[in-house]
Amino acid sequence: MTAPAARKTPRAARPERQRVRADGDVRDLRKSDATRQRILDAAALVMSREGFAGTKLSEIAREADVKIATLYYYYASREELVEAVLVTGTRHVREHTEEAVAALPRTATPLERLCTAVEAHLRFILEISHYTEAAVRNTSQVPEHIRRATRAEQAVYGRLWRRLVDDAAQGTQHRTAAQRKALRMLIIGGLNWSVEWWSPQETSIDDLVATALAVARASLLPLTTSKPRSSR
């Protein structure tokens, strides 16, 4: 999945096109759109690395190989650029997770669907998208008006996770809505926190995913109705 590039009004002459890479995919874009995309990609990279407080337009311009004046041509302010990165990151991980779950066969169990979402989310934030890593690391740091811009997208993603956890929790110890919400927030929070501590030099992504799946499965064991053992 890639961040959508804003399309400007076509010019009479055929626009120059070039190949650009964003979030692992290659696309054809007009030159002006490619510049916008390159700036957004650079901002996501810098934010994922430096955090909101440490993100400077000069560093973004250097990563994007453009002048500061060019940044302001496409984005009126640093906050507008930050907002675009956060909204894009949240949307990308939602779409990626939705597609992974939708690709499962109809016979997949609720727990299998949840585990697929766990793996898709974890791999995306750690391996695929600087946008989503930037969103995970910086949403709590940005001003309130920027957080408001991301809430609609977060709410959509939250509803997906609520359905997945509620369905998987049927027949387990998590009987109440409050218990299922706590479980959901612990799962998502644990996945997202991995961007702060995970290092591929210490633990492979495959081992990390396997551990996350084991935790999810252990949290959702079905209740048993075994009879108490008789005393002798």
Side-chain angles (χ1 to χ4, degrees), residues 83 86-87 139 142-154:
E83 179 180 312
L86 296 188
V87 171
T139 297
V142 299
E144 175 61 24
H145 69 274
I146 296 181
R147 287 201 296 271
R148 283 198 299 268
T150 68
R151 282 177 185 156
E153 189 62 52
Q154 289 172 339

PDB file of all heavy atoms in Angstrom, residues 83 86-87 139 142-154:
ATOM      1  N   GLU A  83       0.612  16.230  10.147  1.00  0.00           N
ATOM      2  CA  GLU A  83      -0.756  15.700  10.104  1.00  0.00           C
ATOM      3  C   GLU A  83      -0.935  14.746   8.932  1.00  0.00           C
ATOM      4  O   GLU A  83      -1.536  13.670   9.070  1.00  0.00           O
ATOM      5  CB  GLU A  83      -1.747  16.848   9.996  1.00  0.00           C
ATOM      6  CG  GLU A  83      -3.197  16.406   9.924  1.00  0.00           C
ATOM      7  CD  GLU A  83      -4.147  17.594   9.816  1.00  0.00           C
ATOM      8  OE1 GLU A  83      -3.992  18.552  10.604  1.00  0.00           O
ATOM      9  OE2 GLU A  83      -5.043  17.560   8.942  1.00  0.00           O
ATOM     10  N   LEU A  86       0.669  11.373   9.782  1.00  0.00           N
ATOM     11  CA  LEU A  86      -0.055  10.585  10.775  1.00  0.00           C
ATOM     12  C   LEU A  86      -1.336   9.981  10.200  1.00  0.00           C
ATOM     13  O   LEU A  86      -1.652   8.817  10.448  1.00  0.00           O
ATOM     14  CB  LEU A  86      -0.387  11.450  11.992  1.00  0.00           C
ATOM     15  CG  LEU A  86       0.811  11.990  12.791  1.00  0.00           C
ATOM     16  CD1 LEU A  86       0.329  12.657  14.070  1.00  0.00           C
ATOM     17  CD2 LEU A  86       1.798  10.882  13.127  1.00  0.00           C
ATOM     18  N   VAL A  87      -2.072  10.771   9.438  1.00  0.00           N
ATOM     19  CA  VAL A  87      -3.311  10.258   8.834  1.00  0.00           C
ATOM     20  C   VAL A  87      -2.977   9.144   7.852  1.00  0.00           C
ATOM     21  O   VAL A  87      -3.641   8.099   7.819  1.00  0.00           O
ATOM     22  CB  VAL A  87      -4.098  11.392   8.151  1.00  0.00           C
ATOM     23  CG1 VAL A  87      -5.261  10.834   7.343  1.00  0.00           C
ATOM     24  CG2 VAL A  87      -4.613  12.385   9.190  1.00  0.00           C
ATOM     25  N   THR A 139       1.699  10.075  17.746  1.00  0.00           N
ATOM     26  CA  THR A 139       0.335  10.571  17.915  1.00  0.00           C
ATOM     27  C   THR A 139       0.134  11.200  19.287  1.00  0.00           C
ATOM     28  O   THR A 139      -0.529  12.235  19.420  1.00  0.00           O
ATOM     29  CB  THR A 139      -0.682   9.432  17.692  1.00  0.00           C
ATOM     30  OG1 THR A 139      -0.564   8.967  16.336  1.00  0.00           O
ATOM     31  CG2 THR A 139      -2.098   9.924  17.928  1.00  0.00           C
ATOM     32  N   VAL A 142       1.883  14.982  19.513  1.00  0.00           N
ATOM     33  CA  VAL A 142       1.528  16.131  18.678  1.00  0.00           C
ATOM     34  C   VAL A 142       0.439  16.965  19.345  1.00  0.00           C
ATOM     35  O   VAL A 142      -0.278  16.478  20.242  1.00  0.00           O
ATOM     36  CB  VAL A 142       1.071  15.668  17.283  1.00  0.00           C
ATOM     37  CG1 VAL A 142       2.180  14.908  16.579  1.00  0.00           C
ATOM     38  CG2 VAL A 142      -0.190  14.809  17.378  1.00  0.00           C
ATOM     39  N   PRO A 143       0.255  18.206  18.920  1.00  0.00           N
ATOM     40  CA  PRO A 143      -0.805  19.044  19.486  1.00  0.00           C
ATOM     41  C   PRO A 143      -2.191  18.442  19.283  1.00  0.00           C
ATOM     42  O   PRO A 143      -2.410  17.641  18.367  1.00  0.00           O
ATOM     43  CB  PRO A 143      -0.651  20.360  18.708  1.00  0.00           C
ATOM     44  CG  PRO A 143       0.766  20.364  18.241  1.00  0.00           C
ATOM     45  CD  PRO A 143       1.114  18.929  17.981  1.00  0.00           C
ATOM     46  N   GLU A 144      -3.119  18.856  20.114  1.00  0.00           N
ATOM     47  CA  GLU A 144      -4.463  18.297  20.108  1.00  0.00           C
ATOM     48  C   GLU A 144      -5.135  18.430  18.755  1.00  0.00           C
ATOM     49  O   GLU A 144      -5.826  17.516  18.302  1.00  0.00           O
ATOM     50  CB  GLU A 144      -5.304  18.972  21.194  1.00  0.00           C
ATOM     51  CG  GLU A 144      -6.775  18.569  21.212  1.00  0.00           C
ATOM     52  CD  GLU A 144      -6.987  17.084  21.451  1.00  0.00           C
ATOM     53  OE1 GLU A 144      -6.104  16.440  22.028  1.00  0.00           O
ATOM     54  OE2 GLU A 144      -8.046  16.583  21.042  1.00  0.00           O
ATOM     55  N   HIS A 145      -4.970  19.557  18.083  1.00  0.00           N
ATOM     56  CA  HIS A 145      -5.683  19.743  16.810  1.00  0.00           C
ATOM     57  C   HIS A 145      -5.179  18.764  15.742  1.00  0.00           C
ATOM     58  O   HIS A 145      -5.927  18.395  14.834  1.00  0.00           O
ATOM     59  CB  HIS A 145      -5.574  21.190  16.321  1.00  0.00           C
ATOM     60  CG  HIS A 145      -4.196  21.589  15.871  1.00  0.00           C
ATOM     61  ND1 HIS A 145      -3.238  22.048  16.743  1.00  0.00           N
ATOM     62  CD2 HIS A 145      -3.629  21.595  14.643  1.00  0.00           C
ATOM     63  CE1 HIS A 145      -2.137  22.329  16.064  1.00  0.00           C
ATOM     64  NE2 HIS A 145      -2.344  22.065  14.800  1.00  0.00           N
ATOM     65  N   ILE A 146      -3.937  18.319  15.839  1.00  0.00           N
ATOM     66  CA  ILE A 146      -3.445  17.306  14.905  1.00  0.00           C
ATOM     67  C   ILE A 146      -4.007  15.942  15.287  1.00  0.00           C
ATOM     68  O   ILE A 146      -4.391  15.152  14.423  1.00  0.00           O
ATOM     69  CB  ILE A 146      -1.907  17.279  14.888  1.00  0.00           C
ATOM     70  CG1 ILE A 146      -1.361  18.608  14.351  1.00  0.00           C
ATOM     71  CG2 ILE A 146      -1.399  16.115  14.040  1.00  0.00           C
ATOM     72  CD1 ILE A 146       0.157  18.669  14.281  1.00  0.00           C
ATOM     73  N   ARG A 147      -4.078  15.651  16.577  1.00  0.00           N
ATOM     74  CA  ARG A 147      -4.671  14.375  17.011  1.00  0.00           C
ATOM     75  C   ARG A 147      -6.118  14.262  16.561  1.00  0.00           C
ATOM     76  O   ARG A 147      -6.581  13.182  16.196  1.00  0.00           O
ATOM     77  CB  ARG A 147      -4.576  14.233  18.530  1.00  0.00           C
ATOM     78  CG  ARG A 147      -3.175  13.939  19.029  1.00  0.00           C
ATOM     79  CD  ARG A 147      -3.191  13.304  20.406  1.00  0.00           C
ATOM     80  NE  ARG A 147      -3.739  14.201  21.414  1.00  0.00           N
ATOM     81  CZ  ARG A 147      -3.020  15.071  22.105  1.00  0.00           C
ATOM     82  NH1 ARG A 147      -1.717  15.179  21.864  1.00  0.00           N
ATOM     83  NH2 ARG A 147      -3.573  15.827  23.020  1.00  0.00           N
ATOM     84  N   ARG A 148      -6.832  15.378  16.607  1.00  0.00           N
ATOM     85  CA  ARG A 148      -8.234  15.335  16.164  1.00  0.00           C
ATOM     86  C   ARG A 148      -8.346  14.895  14.713  1.00  0.00           C
ATOM     87  O   ARG A 148      -9.284  14.197  14.338  1.00  0.00           O
ATOM     88  CB  ARG A 148      -8.880  16.710  16.342  1.00  0.00           C
ATOM     89  CG  ARG A 148      -9.259  17.049  17.773  1.00  0.00           C
ATOM     90  CD  ARG A 148     -10.261  18.182  17.811  1.00  0.00           C
ATOM     91  NE  ARG A 148      -9.724  19.411  17.225  1.00  0.00           N
ATOM     92  CZ  ARG A 148      -9.099  20.356  17.914  1.00  0.00           C
ATOM     93  NH1 ARG A 148      -8.899  20.204  19.223  1.00  0.00           N
ATOM     94  NH2 ARG A 148      -8.650  21.453  17.320  1.00  0.00           N
ATOM     95  N   ALA A 149      -7.389  15.294  13.895  1.00  0.00           N
ATOM     96  CA  ALA A 149      -7.431  14.946  12.473  1.00  0.00           C
ATOM     97  C   ALA A 149      -7.267  13.449  12.241  1.00  0.00           C
ATOM     98  O   ALA A 149      -7.693  12.923  11.213  1.00  0.00           O
ATOM     99  CB  ALA A 149      -6.343  15.713  11.718  1.00  0.00           C
ATOM    100  N   THR A 150      -6.639  12.749  13.182  1.00  0.00           N
ATOM    101  CA  THR A 150      -6.412  11.312  13.014  1.00  0.00           C
ATOM    102  C   THR A 150      -7.508  10.457  13.649  1.00  0.00           C
ATOM    103  O   THR A 150      -7.546   9.249  13.416  1.00  0.00           O
ATOM    104  CB  THR A 150      -5.061  10.908  13.645  1.00  0.00           C
ATOM    105  OG1 THR A 150      -5.135  11.045  15.072  1.00  0.00           O
ATOM    106  CG2 THR A 150      -3.926  11.761  13.104  1.00  0.00           C
ATOM    107  N   ARG A 151      -8.371  11.059  14.434  1.00  0.00           N
ATOM    108  CA  ARG A 151      -9.321  10.260  15.217  1.00  0.00           C
ATOM    109  C   ARG A 151     -10.337   9.517  14.369  1.00  0.00           C
ATOM    110  O   ARG A 151     -10.737   8.401  14.703  1.00  0.00           O
ATOM    111  CB  ARG A 151     -10.017  11.154  16.241  1.00  0.00           C
ATOM    112  CG  ARG A 151      -9.130  11.444  17.444  1.00  0.00           C
ATOM    113  CD  ARG A 151      -9.762  12.383  18.415  1.00  0.00           C
ATOM    114  NE  ARG A 151      -8.822  12.719  19.489  1.00  0.00           N
ATOM    115  CZ  ARG A 151      -8.882  13.812  20.226  1.00  0.00           C
ATOM    116  NH1 ARG A 151      -9.860  14.688  20.016  1.00  0.00           N
ATOM    117  NH2 ARG A 151      -7.994  14.034  21.175  1.00  0.00           N
ATOM    118  N   ALA A 152     -10.766  10.118  13.277  1.00  0.00           N
ATOM    119  CA  ALA A 152     -11.747   9.428  12.431  1.00  0.00           C
ATOM    120  C   ALA A 152     -11.156   8.138  11.876  1.00  0.00           C
ATOM    121  O   ALA A 152     -11.805   7.084  11.897  1.00  0.00           O
ATOM    122  CB  ALA A 152     -12.194  10.349  11.293  1.00  0.00           C
ATOM    123  N   GLU A 153      -9.916   8.210  11.410  1.00  0.00           N
ATOM    124  CA  GLU A 153      -9.261   7.014  10.873  1.00  0.00           C
ATOM    125  C   GLU A 153      -8.997   6.007  11.978  1.00  0.00           C
ATOM    126  O   GLU A 153      -9.185   4.797  11.803  1.00  0.00           O
ATOM    127  CB  GLU A 153      -7.958   7.412  10.189  1.00  0.00           C
ATOM    128  CG  GLU A 153      -7.298   6.307   9.407  1.00  0.00           C
ATOM    129  CD  GLU A 153      -8.155   5.801   8.258  1.00  0.00           C
ATOM    130  OE1 GLU A 153      -8.602   6.625   7.451  1.00  0.00           O
ATOM    131  OE2 GLU A 153      -8.394   4.578   8.194  1.00  0.00           O
ATOM    132  N   GLN A 154      -8.593   6.469  13.149  1.00  0.00           N
ATOM    133  CA  GLN A 154      -8.361   5.575  14.278  1.00  0.00           C
ATOM    134  C   GLN A 154      -9.646   4.885  14.716  1.00  0.00           C
ATOM    135  O   GLN A 154      -9.630   3.717  15.109  1.00  0.00           O
ATOM    136  CB  GLN A 154      -7.756   6.357  15.440  1.00  0.00           C
ATOM    137  CG  GLN A 154      -6.318   6.791  15.213  1.00  0.00           C
ATOM    138  CD  GLN A 154      -5.818   7.718  16.300  1.00  0.00           C
ATOM    139  OE1 GLN A 154      -6.602   8.357  17.015  1.00  0.00           O
ATOM    140  NE2 GLN A 154      -4.515   7.822  16.443  1.00  0.00           N
TER     141      GLN A 154
END
